[in-house]
Amino acid sequence: ASSGLSYPGLLTDGKALRVENAADTPTNIYSRDFSGQAGHDMSVVWFSFLLKPEKVADGHAYIMLNGQFEGTAVGKKWVNGFGFHGFSIVKLENDQTYFAVARYDCRSGDDVAHLWVNPPLDQEPALDTANAYYDGGDIGLGNSVGFAIQGYGAGQYLYDEIRIGSSWTDVTAYTGGAIDPPTAATNPVPD
């Protein structure tokens, strides 16, 4: 764990989680369960987090709900493009803090997803103001949040204030605490 991250107007608490991988190692996946379930058909799931790259590396670094990667994971694709899996909307820079908010409109088939990066917090944004839109993936139904990170340059990323809820307010205002940091499924999180 590391010192907590901050974003103007967002109440924060606690420490950030450092997720990293050694150079040229296979993809590692870390995950943690949360109470309840997210992804029921005909529901809306909001998901937010703070991200601060300490060392942007070539490999992918994604955060995802319910282990679903294709299309709905949010993070850094190859090199330094950030967005939904496969779609870059922002260029990540070392030592800059980013606030990402995703909205998933869950359907019986593919979910409809919107993503905002560094949005103002004073009101829920209109869907047409999203930095990215995707309708080819599905977050599935489950109760986990996880990280997938490749080696290829030994990247280091801090994550903080990971929030999941059913409204904009749930994920942008202090709700009594964030989800506990994930634990490694197969490897310990390096300090």
Side-chain angles (χ1 to χ4, degrees):
S2 183
S3 296
L5 302 179
S6 63
Y7 181 77
L10 183 70
L11 295 174
T12 58
D13 185 29
K15 296 185 176 196
L17 172 70
R18 177 177 284 115
V19 176
E20 61 185 333
N21 205 356
D24 299 324
T25 58
T27 299
N28 286 324
I29 297 178
Y30 306 90
S31 67
R32 178 69 175 231
D33 291 344
F34 55 85
S35 61
Q37 286 191 320
H40 291 279
D41 288 346
M42 307 315 293
S43 70
V44 173
V45 176
W46 288 87
F47 178 47
S48 72
F49 60 92
L50 290 171
L51 167 67
K52 181 178 181 180
E54 293 182 308
K55 182 179 179 186
V56 175
D58 287 339
H60 298 306
Y62 284 96
I63 185 170
M64 66 202 125
L65 291 176
N66 303 330
Q68 300 301 313
F69 187 74
E70 293 298 323
T72 60
V74 178
K76 190 195 74 61
K77 62 183 285 181
W78 196 255
V79 188
N80 62 354
F82 179 83
F84 284 127
H85 173 247
F87 297 93
S88 292
I89 56 174
V90 172
K91 179 181 174 184
L92 289 185
E93 301 289 341
N94 288 333
D95 300 318
Q96 298 292 316
T97 299
Y98 301 87
F99 182 51
V101 180
R103 174 186 163 137
Y104 301 101
D105 289 276
C106 301
R107 303 293 179 250
S108 59
D110 289 337
D111 297 338
V112 175
H114 293 81
L115 177 65
W116 294 264
V117 178
N118 295 337
L121 299 179
D122 57 349
Q123 63 181 354
E124 181 177 328
L127 295 178
D128 64 359
T129 66
N131 298 103
Y133 165 84
Y134 186 69
D135 66 354
D138 191 334
I139 64 169
L141 177 63
N143 63 335
S144 69
V145 62
F147 300 87
I149 183 169
Q150 292 176 322
Y152 309 112
Q156 297 174 345
Y157 307 91
L158 296 176
Y159 291 90
D160 201 359
E161 299 302 324
I162 300 165
R163 297 177 178 159
I164 300 163
S166 59
S167 71
W168 170 262
T169 303
D170 288 345
V171 299
T172 59
Y174 185 70
T175 59
I179 296 170
D180 291 334
T183 56
T186 56
N187 298 315
V189 176
D191 288 329

